[in-house]
């Protein structure tokens, strides 16, 4: 039997393999240098070109690019009218930003538990969490697979709630043939380097609603308008503008916009490669009892952002933390998505209790994120599988 490196064996590989990594090619670099030589570094033509492209790709009527995925969530909440006294329901198994955006607006995040199979927010838990104060639901397409949108749309319609889809993981995914971006009232993307496409930092909000679109633009740009029909004090002077709400400077630059446009041209290629890697992972890990994978739903044609497994530490006789440490010594750097949001000290200090969502508590003790990114070779993929098998077999 092979001895894991953590117990003195030879590591599977010498070069570290990380869980995520951007893929930048010469076309990306050329696109950026073109903008650097142009007249506009920000507020220029690349922004409109990118927003058109996002609309075209997703079928959404409007796209508003912005500084990052967190800013996208913040302006989406503002556009939804989330304010002090409101409640916003979201998943506990997400990045803190999905809940922080409600806090930015003075509202209270309410965590609805996840489905144990799909690891996405459970529509029935959402339904049970609705009160007279609920304003919006922020669903998260965990790991790239669409949340149960039919159920969520219908619950939100029934209760007059605004549905925001945090699609930071799922650009390129389709739900029942419809692209993510055109299903919820507003959909937010992130273009951080660990996500499927990147421009360093970046984000966007997509919507089909003109009213949301107007508000999103205002909140992105200091609350300032140059549209004469919105002025309180009419003026036809070319230099005149008005600030009509309290907004932010959440704009993307043209340098980032052109990089993202260039990345979007590769999304299908990125997505296909991710699918290949996952097919191989699923085939290998199905054979290991004690490892569970995220349940796939037929409605979602998924572009995966993450590949997560669950470690049954009793069956495998190795704990989650020990597993991650053992993988690291094999030079395969895993990660964990996510610490339940309400476990963070900030949330604990707000009064959220451990144990609030039993499913997420259980899943959290088992979760491991394995490497998944476009630049991974077949050999890299086999190294990950080999390392998992080696560690698991040693303990069984
Ligand atoms: C990455 C991420 C965000 C935040 O995006 P940034 O661009 O990093 O601000 C929000 N929600 C989820 C689920 C994410 O994974």
């Amino acid at each position: 039997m092979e001895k894991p490196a953590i117990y003195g064996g030879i590591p599977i590989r010498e070069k570290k393999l990380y869980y995520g990594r951007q893929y930048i090619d010469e076309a990306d670099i050329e696109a950026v240098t073109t903008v650097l030589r142009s007249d506009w570094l920000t507020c220029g033509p690349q922004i409109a070109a990118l927003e058109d492209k996002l609309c075209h790709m997703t079928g959404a009527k409007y796209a508003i690019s912005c500084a990052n995925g967190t800013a996208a969530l913040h302006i989406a909440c503002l556009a939804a009218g989330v304010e002090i006294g409101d409640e916003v329901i979201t998943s506990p198994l997400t990045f803190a930003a999905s809940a922080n955006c409600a806090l930015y607006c003075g509202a209270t995040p309410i965590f609805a538990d996840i489905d144990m199979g799909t690891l996405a927010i459970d529509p029935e838990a959402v339904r049970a969490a609705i009160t007279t104060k609920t304003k919006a639901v922020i669903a998260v397409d965990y790991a790239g697979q669409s949340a149960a949108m039919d159920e969520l749309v219908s619950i939100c319609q029934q209760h007059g709630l605004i549905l925001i889809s945090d699609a930071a993981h799922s650009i390129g995914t389709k739900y029942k043939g419809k692209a993510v971006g055109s299903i919820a009232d507003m959909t937010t993307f992130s273009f951080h380097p660990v996500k499927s496409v990147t421009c360093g930092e970046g984000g966007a909000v997509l919507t089909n609603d003109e009213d949301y679109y107007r508000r999103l633009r205002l909140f992105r740009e200091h609350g300032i308008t140059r549209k004469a029909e919105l002025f309180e004090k009419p003026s036809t002077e070319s230099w005149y503008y008005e600030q009509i709400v309290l907004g932010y400077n959440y704009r993307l630059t043209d340098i980032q916009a052109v990089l993202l446009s260039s990345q979007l041209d590769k999304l299908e290629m990125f997505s296909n490669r991710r699918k290949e890697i996952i097919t191989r992972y699923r085939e290998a890990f199905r054979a290991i009892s004690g490892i569970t994978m995220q349940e796939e739903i037929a409605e979602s044609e998924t572009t995966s952002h993450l590949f997560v497994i669950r470690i049954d530490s009793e069956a495998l006789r190795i704990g989650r933390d020990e597993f991650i440490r053992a993988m690291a010594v094999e030079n395969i750097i895993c990660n964990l998505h996510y610490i339940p949001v309400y476990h963070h000290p900030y949330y604990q200090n707000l009064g959220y209790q451990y144990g609030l969502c039993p499913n997420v508590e259980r899943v959290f003790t088992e979760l491991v994120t394995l490497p998944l990114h476009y630049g991974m070779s077949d050999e890299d993929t086999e190294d990950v599988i080999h390392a998992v098998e080696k560690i698991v077999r040693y303990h069984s």
Side-chain angles (χ1 to χ4, degrees):
M1 186 186 299
E2 277 182 288
K3 198 187 250 184
I6 197 167
Y7 306 120
I10 299 157
I12 292 283
R13 52 186 287 137
E14 279 179 7
K15 191 165 180 263
K16 284 190 180 15
L17 179 66
Y18 292 93
Y19 92 92
R21 190 187 151 76
Q22 72 276 15
Y23 183 84
I24 299 289
D25 66 8
E26 286 306 314
D28 294 332
I29 294 167
E30 203 162 302
V32 170
T33 49
T34 309
V35 169
L36 291 175
R37 290 180 215 283
S38 79
D39 293 334
W40 301 87
L41 296 185
T42 194
C43 305
Q46 295 301 335
I47 297 295
L50 169 66
E51 291 174 345
D52 283 350
K53 199 172 221 170
L54 286 169
C55 287
H56 183 76
M57 280 181 46
T58 59
K61 271 198 196 146
Y62 307 101
I64 293 89
S65 61
C66 59
N68 51 61
T70 305
L73 284 163
H74 187 191
I75 58 174
C77 283
L78 290 167
V82 171
E83 57 188 21
I84 294 171
D86 290 339
E87 293 177 351
V88 175
I89 299 172
T90 192
S91 170
L93 191 65
T94 183
F95 185 58
S98 312
N100 287 346
C101 57
L103 292 175
Y104 295 160
C105 300
T108 305
I110 302 291
F111 297 101
D113 210 349
I114 56 166
D115 178 279
M116 288 297 267
T118 64
L119 309 180
I121 198 166
D122 175 359
E124 285 318 307
V126 170
R127 201 191 288 281
I130 294 170
T131 72
T132 51
K133 293 179 179 167
T134 310
K135 183 65 151 272
V137 174
I138 301 180
V140 180
D141 290 342
Y142 180 79
Q145 175 164 268
S146 174
M149 294 310 278
D150 272 358
E151 289 83 349
L152 292 169
V153 166
S154 124
I155 291 168
C156 287
Q157 274 172 358
Q158 202 181 333
H159 294 269
L161 308 176
I162 296 162
L163 179 58
I164 298 171
S165 164
D166 178 348
H169 298 182
S170 60
I171 191 165
T173 291
K174 286 185 177 143
Y175 179 81
K176 291 192 166 177
K178 230 175 152 183
V180 164
S182 59
I183 303 164
D185 293 307
M186 287 178 266
T187 301
T188 65
F189 290 139
S190 162
F191 307 120
H192 183 277
V194 297
K195 313 290 159 83
S196 292
V197 285
T198 186
C199 57
E201 296 278 358
V205 188
L206 286 93
T207 183
N208 287 325
D209 184 291
E210 193 182 351
D211 198 42
Y212 288 142
Y213 170 67
R214 288 221 180 94
R215 289 167 62 78
L216 288 163
R217 281 199 62 151
L218 266 179
F219 287 117
R220 178 184 69 179
E221 290 157 23
H222 309 276
I224 285 174
T225 184
R226 291 178 181 277
K227 289 207 168 75
E229 70 267 24
L230 297 179
F231 290 163
E232 280 187 24
K233 296 183 270 180
S235 168
T236 52
E237 301 303 335
S238 62
W239 49 264
Y240 188 73
Y241 58 81
E242 279 185 357
Q243 185 192 338
I244 56 175
V245 294
L246 182 61
Y248 299 82
N249 181 355
Y250 277 169
R251 285 185 304 250
L252 197 69
T253 65
D254 277 53
I255 305 165
Q256 293 164 311
V258 80
L259 174 53
L260 191 66
S261 287
S262 175
Q263 286 264 299
L264 287 171
D265 293 341
K266 293 182 275 282
L267 178 57
E268 203 180 319
M269 179 178 92
F270 288 167
S271 171
N272 289 339
R273 180 61 187 151
R274 283 170 179 264
K275 281 179 190 150
E276 279 172 15
I277 295 168
I278 285 188
T279 302
R280 182 64 195 108
Y281 275 164
R282 284 193 171 265
E283 183 183 51
F285 300 136
R286 254 197 300 273
I288 306 177
S289 60
I291 288 184
T292 324
M293 292 174 279
Q294 187 184 11
E295 194 179 289
E296 293 176 292
I297 58 166
E299 295 86 346
S300 180
E301 193 192 316
T302 303
T303 292
S304 292
H305 160 51
L306 302 172
F307 184 78
V308 299
I309 55 172
R310 284 167 57 197
I311 301 284
D312 178 340
S313 53
E314 255 169 59
L316 296 173
R317 298 200 286 165
I318 178 169
R320 191 267 320 274
D321 294 343
E322 197 185 349
F323 178 87
I324 292 177
R325 282 196 297 268
M327 289 290 281
V329 187
E330 303 294 342
N331 285 321
I332 293 165
I333 313 302
C334 300
N335 210 314
L336 199 162
H337 295 88
Y338 291 90
I339 300 164
V341 175
Y342 62 80
H343 280 203
H344 288 294
Y346 185 79
Y347 280 82
Q348 289 289 302
N349 291 336
L350 290 177
Y352 291 87
Q353 302 286 318
Y354 281 103
L356 181 62
C357 300
N359 292 354
V360 90
E361 295 288 340
R362 156 118 185 259
V363 163
F364 170 55
T365 64
E366 305 174 337
L367 276 177
V368 179
T369 306
L370 297 178
L372 176 68
H373 49 92
Y374 174 77
M376 276 174 69
S377 65
D378 289 345
E379 210 182 344
D380 292 334
T381 311
E382 295 309 316
D383 282 349
V384 175
I385 293 168
H386 188 172
V388 171
E389 289 171 346
K390 183 173 155 184
I391 292 162
V392 164
R393 289 218 182 98
Y394 189 79
H395 286 85
S396 62

